[in-house]
Amino acid sequence: MYILSLLSLCYYNILENKFVKNGSDLKLSYNKLNFYHTFTSLLCCMTTYYYQSELLNNITMANTVGFFINDVLVYLKKDNNKLSDYIFIYHHIAGSIYFYNYVNNPESVWLMSLFWAEVSNIPSQTVYYFIQHERIYGGVRNKKTVLHAKYIQFFIYSFIRIFIGTYIYFKELNNIGLNKIMIMNIPLVLLGYYWSFIMYKNDYHKIDFLN
């Protein structure tokens, strides 16, 4: 598992350098890397679900852990001292510890957790892409696209993080029991509630989708 995670880290570091070097915008380049990880993660999850094996478990886990570690290094290199950066760093560390420890535990629902977490990330990554697209190119049409994407993001993200995420956490708690790793992941569950509340407070749900 150590070797696979290290190889994954090296792979995502190479991809990062390639996307940043060949990209026209730094923020879009990193968003492209996030999209790539989400796609490969979902592909790995579905493959592992249908063709269950310890090797596929480890590959799926290593793909995400390698990405998380590389992303932590990105935040550390930026050294922006932003609260959001520290939150993401904690998220990646806690998530990596969880996946690494339960990857081959038959009682764990880590694969379900990873799958739905990545599905919930798609709307957020899409919104971020359209925001950056509007920043670069402007225009009324791009602004409307951002608003429509935010409307969809609120309902998909909130439903998955609040209802499905909570269900998965308590299912895992029932299977594994309360321990240090499960306690470390409580803030990750609460983050879903927090971001859903922020979107609700900013009236994402009141956006006129048909306009």
Side-chain angles (χ1 to χ4, degrees), residues 38 41-42 45 68 91 99 110-123 125 157 160-161 164-165 168:
T38 296
S41 185
L42 289 174
C45 284
F68 278 178
H91 169 277
F99 292 131
W110 70 271
L111 190 64
M112 183 192 300
S113 176
L114 177 59
F115 176 83
W116 284 109
E118 294 303 337
V119 171
S120 73
N121 284 336
I122 295 175
Q125 292 165 353
Y157 178 90
I160 293 176
R161 291 287 178 156
I164 298 179
I168 291 173

Side-chain angles (χ1 to χ4, degrees), residues 132-149:
Q132 301 311 319
H133 198 266
E134 183 198 1
R135 172 180 60 83
I136 297 171
Y137 300 104
V140 176
R141 185 176 180 180
N142 287 328
K143 186 175 182 179
K144 285 185 177 181
T145 301
V146 171
L147 292 175
H148 292 162

Side-chain angles (χ1 to χ4, degrees), residues 93-111:
I93 293 174
S96 294
I97 292 173
Y98 167 68
F99 292 131
Y100 194 84
N101 278 274
Y102 293 133
V103 61
N104 289 312
N105 187 329
E107 296 183 356
S108 174
V109 291
W110 70 271
L111 190 64

Side-chain angles (χ1 to χ4, degrees), residues 112 116 158-169:
M112 183 192 300
W116 284 109
S158 298
F159 179 80
I160 293 176
R161 291 287 178 156
I162 293 176
F163 296 103
I164 298 179
T166 302
Y167 166 77
I168 291 173
Y169 182 82

